[in-house]
Amino acid sequence: AQKVTQAQTEISVVEKEDVTLDCVYETRDTTYYLFWYKQPPSGELVFLIRRNSFDEQNEISGRYSWNFQKSTSSFNFTITASQVVDSAVYFCALSVVISSGSARQLTFGSGTQLTVLP
Amino acid sequence: DAMVIQNPRYQVTQFGKPVTLSCSQTLNHNVMYWYQQKSSQAPKLLFHYYDKDFNNEADTPDNFQSRRPNTSFCFLDIRSPGLGDAAMYLCATRSGTSTDTQYFGPGTRLTVL
């Protein structure tokens, strides 16, 4: 069975601070995908990034960066110079590829509510 | 722009009165999903279609049904809504290949009076 843990339920930062959202996952499978989604107050889940289990390269996209470490089963997300518009719930999720090649459903973490104060 | 559309964005129904939520997509994706999300919780998968093949999650109540008349549209029918069914309902789509991501619609927030 798969499990995703986001231990931080709520985080508050002041604008322009850096913030890291933690994600720890559990799976016995060797092939899997990890995702981060953003859910603003409007409710839509916005895809941010996908990383497969064979690619441990960290990624940077503007103010966003992701640190994937298989050794610790973690896929952490950092926002640099946070802005008020970054306020949202952020979900980490895991998808496992089964032998037939089609990905299984997403297993979500419980989400982290990020509030960026002006 | 290609996208996932959900209508209506807000739906109010009465206890026990059937309601239908709709989802359409212009991505031409094979797979469509319905999730239920209650306040401060992660989305919970109800069921999904891979093309016309319907896959129901084991713990999805019988009160929830779904139809997919064609590739573009998928409907969620709640036959007799209870107060506990008030939630955000999210539709998502995914291409049939294993690497593809799920793309979500804006959701329909259901209120049951």
Side-chain angles (χ1 to χ4, degrees), chain A residues 8-55:
Chain A
Q8 305 150 308
T9 306
E10 296 181 21
I11 301 176
S12 285
V13 298
V14 177
E15 204 169 22
K16 297 184 183 176
E17 287 184 356
D18 299 347
V19 59
T20 295
L21 309 182
D22 298 332
C23 173
V24 174
Y25 62 92
E26 296 175 30
T27 180
R28 293 182 180 176
D29 293 83
T30 57
T31 304
Y32 52 88
Y33 291 91
L34 293 163
F35 301 82
W36 276 96
Y37 285 88
K38 173 183 179 180
Q39 189 173 41
S42 59
E44 180 176 359
L45 274 166
V46 179
F47 165 70
L48 296 178
I49 190 173
R50 178 187 72 228
R51 174 66 72 222
N52 78 52
S53 52
F54 298 108
D55 181 4

Side-chain angles (χ1 to χ4, degrees), chain A residues 33 35 37 39 41-47 50 91 95 97 101-106 108-111, chain B residues 9 33 35 37 40-43 45 48 57 88 90 94 96 98-106 109:
Chain A
Y33 291 91
F35 301 82
Y37 285 88
Q39 189 173 41
S42 59
E44 180 176 359
L45 274 166
V46 179
F47 165 70
R50 178 187 72 228
F91 288 98
S95 178
V97 179
S102 60
R104 288 176 61 182
Q105 285 74 266
L106 293 173
F108 284 93
S110 54
Chain B
R9 294 293 309 277
Y33 302 83
Y35 289 84
Q37 186 181 25
S40 302
Q41 296 183 18
L45 182 65
H48 75 277
E57 291 301 296
M88 173 75 89
L90 295 162
R94 177 177 68 82
S98 63
T99 59
D100 273 356
T101 302
Q102 288 190 31
Y103 295 95
F104 285 80
R109 191 171 296 280

Side-chain angles (χ1 to χ4, degrees), chain A residues 42-113:
Chain A
S42 59
E44 180 176 359
L45 274 166
V46 179
F47 165 70
L48 296 178
I49 190 173
R50 178 187 72 228
R51 174 66 72 222
N52 78 52
S53 52
F54 298 108
D55 181 4
E56 285 194 74
Q57 264 196 326
N58 292 329
E59 182 158 338
I60 298 174
S61 176
R63 296 184 298 106
Y64 294 171
S65 63
W66 291 270
N67 182 356
F68 176 30
Q69 292 194 343
K70 287 179 77 170
S71 61
T72 56
S73 297
S74 65
F75 186 43
N76 296 337
F77 173 30
T78 297
I79 302 174
T80 303
S82 59
Q83 300 176 2
V84 173
V85 293
D86 296 328
S87 297
V89 180
Y90 290 85
F91 288 98
C92 181
L94 168 70
S95 178
V96 176
V97 179
I98 56 178
S99 58
S100 68
S102 60
R104 288 176 61 182
Q105 285 74 266
L106 293 173
T107 299
F108 284 93
S110 54
T112 297
Q113 169 70 61

Side-chain angles (χ1 to χ4, degrees), chain B residues 50-103:
Chain B
Y50 195 118
D51 293 325
K52 293 194 173 187
D53 293 333
F54 177 69
N55 297 272
N56 199 28
E57 291 301 296
D59 57 354
T60 298
D62 292 339
N63 199 23
F64 291 85
Q65 304 286 319
S66 186
R67 297 170 282 134
R68 189 179 186 185
N70 54 53
T71 300
S72 300
F73 284 88
C74 195
F75 299 97
L76 170 62
D77 300 309
I78 309 177
R79 294 192 294 189
S80 182
L83 298 179
D85 297 327
M88 173 75 89
Y89 289 88
L90 295 162
C91 174
T93 73
R94 177 177 68 82
S95 172
T97 62
S98 63
T99 59
D100 273 356
T101 302
Q102 288 190 31
Y103 295 95

